[in-house]
Amino acid sequence: MRILVFANTPAHVHLYRHTVDRLEAAGHDVLVLTREYACTTDLLEFFGMPYRIYGTHGTESYSKLRFAREIGGQFATIAREARRFDPDVIFGRGPYAAYAGTLTRTPVVLVLDDEPGDFNHTVSRPFADTILSPAVTRRDLGDDHYTFDGFKECAYLHPDVFERDENVREFLGVDPDEPYVIVRFNALDALHDAGLEGFSPHQRRDLIQRLSDHATVFVSDEGGEMELRDLPARPYSLHPALIHDAMAEASLLVADTGTMATEAALLGTPAFRYRGTDDHEYGEFQELERAGLAEQFDEYAAIRERALEILADDGAAARWQRRRQAYVTDLANLTELLVDVAESRGVIDQLSSSTRQALQHEHRKQTQP
């Protein structure tokens, strides 16, 4: 079989990397189509995934108008690469995968989360043969929509998949018992981030200064604009492929971005997310809050004080790990599901009975009296 995968962001690389490995080991041909965005291609290189680039996307201020200008050239490249590869099934999300599937008359599997990307859902949904999303998605996307118990991050952070690099503290230059915090600042440059604001420049500086009184602070700045020379913090400078190992050892993650907060929570690290002007209610975060693994804040002072409180709590790390063990172990191993769906060419009825049992038909569930 020939499987085409769209990986447009670093998170997408992680989502599919174990699936690609499994499919290649089984003798299938896999191609990843990607764009130059943040560290996406660095991750593809690190994990040895076969890829070609169809376009670029910067981390500067982004707009829908610019998106419209760029997409024409990207679609032309996608058309050329998709025709050349001639896939049997396509995985992705949004207009890119939908376009490639329509052009090559190939089944399309969309793997979605609970982001409010209405544009992506609107343009891609009519062209999808199968849609997979977490059960906490809280939306019905039609007859071909199936959900699973878990999160898309379970493809690489499920306990059956994730193996921590025990040398990460040495790589970071921190002692075995030294507490450290990872602070993640969002570039807010994606289409679905338009108009949103996270930590202000003043809040970023204040947060770093306050946290540094209790732990070593590593700053991961997606936009690359944060000046740290006069602040008590270090830039997070490890290869981006090691970020989950670093998060697993951290005492706390504080972020104004969603993906890393979800990842930290699933690793059993206290994950605090500052919502800023983002008033969308994400099903994933509500579920993680219910499990006691993540917390969200609308006010800056509240997240700052809660962060300081957790760093002073000697029992926090063990408490979060117990919660992770109790909650995450029973979630779906998404990599296994994606491999099975790929080998069935996206046809749910052709899956094994055990795999079908892990999927819930969302439309049927929503329409039952």
Side-chain angles (χ1 to χ4, degrees), residues 147-221:
T147 63
F148 55 89
D149 288 332
F151 305 79
K152 63 181 176 58
E153 290 82 6
C154 288
Y156 53 98
L157 296 181
H158 190 278
D160 292 342
V161 176
F162 178 71
E163 295 183 8
R164 181 186 315 189
D165 190 325
E166 301 296 337
N167 297 312
V168 70
R169 281 185 169 270
E170 179 182 348
F171 298 154
L172 287 170
V174 295
D175 295 333
D177 298 324
E178 183 178 349
Y180 68 86
V181 178
I182 297 177
V183 179
R184 171 68 165 181
F185 296 130
N186 199 342
L188 294 171
D189 62 326
L191 184 65
H192 59 260
D193 292 327
L196 297 182
E197 296 179 3
F199 290 110
S200 69
H202 171 75
Q203 290 169 346
R204 291 183 177 197
R205 296 178 63 87
D206 181 66
L207 180 64
I208 290 170
Q209 290 171 336
R210 299 294 188 96
L211 294 178
S212 68
D213 291 336
H214 304 272
T216 299
V217 178
F218 290 96
V219 174
S220 174
D221 178 22

Side-chain angles (χ1 to χ4, degrees), residues 58 86 245 270 291 334 341:
D86 189 23
D245 306 281
L334 184 54
V341 171

Side-chain angles (χ1 to χ4, degrees), residues 6-56:
F6 280 85
N8 299 324
T9 69
H12 297 165
V13 177
H14 290 297
L15 170 62
Y16 291 112
R17 63 186 178 93
H18 293 294
T19 300
V20 170
D21 285 346
R22 290 269 302 273
L23 290 170
E24 288 190 314
H28 303 297
D29 292 328
V30 184
L31 174 65
V32 178
L33 283 183
T34 189
R35 61 187 179 183
E36 292 278 7
Y37 171 65
C39 60
T40 304
T41 53
D42 291 335
L43 289 172
L44 290 165
E45 289 283 351
F46 185 92
F47 295 122
M49 297 169 67
Y51 73 93
R52 292 178 189 150
I53 297 171
Y54 69 79
T56 61

